[in-house]
Amino acid sequence: MAGLKKTIIRGGLETLYFSGMHQILRPLVGGVGAILTLHHVRPPRAEAFQPNRLLEVTPLFLEGLLRRLRRSRVDVISLDEMHQRMVSGNFKRRFVCLTFDDGYRDVLRWAYPLLKKYETPFALYIPTSFPDRLGELWWLALEAVIANNNRIGLVVNGKDRFFDCGSVKEKRELYDEIYGWLRSMKTEEELRRVVRDLCACHGVDIASFCRDLCMSWEEIGQLAADPLVTIGAHTVNHFMLKKVPSDATVRAEMEMSRAVIEAALCIRPQHLSYPVGDPTSAGPREFRIATELGFKTAVTTRPGVLFKVHREHLTALPRISVNGEFQSQRYLKVLMSGAATAMWNGFRRVNAA
Ligand SMILES: [Zn+2]
């Protein structure tokens, strides 16, 4: 997310909170429930350069959230229960689902004991190449390349270019610039090729992130054995599916991930999360294919709470991102009220285009 947009959101949320407007809007936009997105849960780190910090929250913050949910009149439910309530029209009580994308080991170490303590059901969406140790966590590899070097070389449009990144400020700016450039590429193959080359030239082992940070099949199996846990699919290779030219490949990414999880854990995933999940990564074609493959639900990262009408769009569900840049319970209260995302969506209830 660009710095400016982030500032606007932060500013907007503060305004909403202090004006109390979200309380007024609540009956209008509060919806019937919400699905929260989390990634890493781990203690804060000291480094000044942490461009991916938005993907992590601290155990302390998570515990605050779980305590708040416990005290509220909102039901914390599994994805199956959410699906059941949506299709049967059971909207007597508002609900929240907790979902963790990518299967990081810190979820097992730091989040799971807390989720267990508060008896909170949650879902893990697993890209099968991660426990298969073939995953490329390119956004972390890019972070390491910039963190470990004071100057990096890059071929842009066929020309060699060099960037100084000795200071934290330069590192942040360079990360944003390269990240934006990579995300604007037409295919993810191009993106991966650039990051692989960067890693090869700057002494970063791209395979190490998957090995060091992601759960093994054995670890996922430990969690999967707990009735609190739902295992969902998150494709095989974690590609931005909308950028994949062939429908057959998109279908295979979804179908294969379900088959691999079933083979590894004897659990057939009924729920799917689209990698990255924003409008540049998942669109109508992906929603249709997920429906055709029989997934009960599929989630995006488009911001929003759930409305009754989402039962017609169960493979294009919005979520609320629990963003590490906004680790204040106050932000979360506003986000879950639906007011902030309603403003973001211009008061459109369904955004499935
Ligand atoms: Zn993911």
Side-chain angles (χ1 to χ4, degrees):
M1 194 187 298
L4 181 63
K5 200 170 171 193
K6 204 153 74 187
T7 311
I8 291 170
I9 296 172
R10 200 186 299 242
L13 287 183
E14 289 287 10
T15 314
L16 272 172
Y17 181 79
F18 289 116
S19 70
M21 189 163 78
H22 67 284
Q23 298 289 0
I24 299 164
L25 292 174
R26 184 179 221 137
L28 175 67
V29 297
V32 296
I35 308 172
L36 305 185
T37 314
L38 294 109
H39 289 84
H40 295 277
V41 179
R42 58 187 171 191
R45 292 171 298 145
E47 291 90 341
F49 175 59
Q50 291 188 42
N52 290 296
R53 189 172 169 274
L54 75 170
L55 298 176
E56 61 186 85
V57 299
T58 65
L60 195 69
F61 179 81
L62 179 67
E63 181 151 27
L65 168 65
L66 296 176
R67 216 181 289 126
R68 168 184 290 280
L69 287 170
R70 186 38 101 65
R71 281 201 311 255
S72 70
R73 277 169 304 167
V74 173
D75 294 345
V76 185
I77 61 175
S78 68
L79 292 177
D80 275 341
E81 171 75 15
M82 179 270 289
H83 173 259
Q84 176 58 28
R85 290 192 190 189
M86 291 300 287
V87 296
S88 67
N90 173 6
F91 302 121
K92 284 196 290 287
R93 289 171 62 90
R94 291 187 74 208
F95 60 81
V96 163
C97 300
L98 261 64
T99 64
F100 295 83
D101 284 17
D102 301 345
Y104 295 110
R105 185 173 285 130
D106 50 56
V107 171
L108 174 63
R109 170 148 186 219
W110 297 100
Y112 182 53
L114 296 171
L115 293 155
K116 195 87 185 131
K117 177 176 166 188
Y118 291 89
E119 294 167 65
T120 311
F122 64 100
L124 288 170
Y125 292 113
I126 305 292
T128 55
S129 64
F130 290 12
D132 278 339
R133 300 297 181 244
L134 299 165
E136 291 178 312
L137 284 69
W138 61 266
W139 56 99
L140 298 180
L142 176 63
E143 175 178 337
V145 164
I146 295 175
N148 301 349
N149 292 278
N150 291 327
R151 185 175 159 85
I152 69 163
L154 193 59
V155 181
V156 182
N157 300 328
K159 288 196 196 104
D160 280 324
R161 289 188 55 192
F162 293 91
F163 302 88
D164 289 315
C165 50
S167 72
V168 170
K169 182 170 179 289
E170 284 170 331
K171 288 183 193 298
R172 285 184 185 148
E173 285 169 3
L174 186 59
Y175 186 91
D176 285 349
E177 196 175 325
I178 297 180
Y179 182 88
W181 176 58
L182 291 170
R183 287 289 306 275
S184 73
M185 289 178 169
K186 287 221 165 52
T187 69
E188 183 143 345
E189 265 154 55
E190 249 178 292
L191 178 164
R192 299 276 180 113
R193 196 161 48 232
V194 170
V195 177
R196 266 178 228 139
D197 284 354
L198 267 174
C199 288
C201 295
H202 297 89
V204 168
D205 173 11
I206 193 167
S208 68
F209 303 96
C210 190
R211 205 168 53 225
D212 298 343
L213 296 174
C214 299
M215 282 187 277
S216 64
W217 282 115
E218 199 193 336
E219 288 166 314
I220 297 167
Q222 272 178 49
L223 289 177
D226 189 325
L228 286 176
V229 181
T230 300
I231 302 293
H234 196 34
T235 75
V236 175
N237 291 301
H238 204 271
F239 290 145
M240 291 176 264
L241 295 175
K242 196 171 169 183
K243 299 195 175 198
V244 174
S246 138
D247 289 18
T249 308
V250 171
R251 184 177 291 271
E253 277 284 332
M254 296 183 194
E255 213 169 13
M256 275 294 289
S257 69
R258 182 167 62 186
V260 171
I261 290 171
E262 192 175 7
L265 304 174
C266 301
I267 293 167
R268 187 170 169 82
Q270 308 288 331
H271 306 273
L272 171 78
S273 164
Y274 304 104
V276 187
D278 68 323
T280 72
S281 313
R285 176 184 65 170
E286 287 68 41
F287 306 154
R288 172 178 56 77
I289 293 175
T291 306
E292 287 167 5
L293 290 175
F295 284 103
K296 283 184 180 173
T297 72
V299 294
T300 67
T301 54
R302 298 179 187 214
V305 295
L306 300 183
F307 295 98
K308 290 177 187 175
V309 63
H310 279 111
R311 72 173 121 183
E312 317 292 331
H313 305 274
L314 287 170
T315 57
L317 298 177
R319 289 190 288 177
I320 302 283
S321 203
V322 181
N323 185 323
E325 301 276 16
F326 307 120
Q327 288 193 53
S328 130
Q329 299 292 333
R330 202 175 64 216
Y331 286 130
L332 210 65
K333 196 172 161 193
V334 175
L335 278 171
M336 291 194 329
S337 76
T341 51
M343 290 186 71
W344 179 288
N345 292 331
F347 287 91
R348 262 178 311 164
R349 291 195 160 195
V350 175
N351 181 2

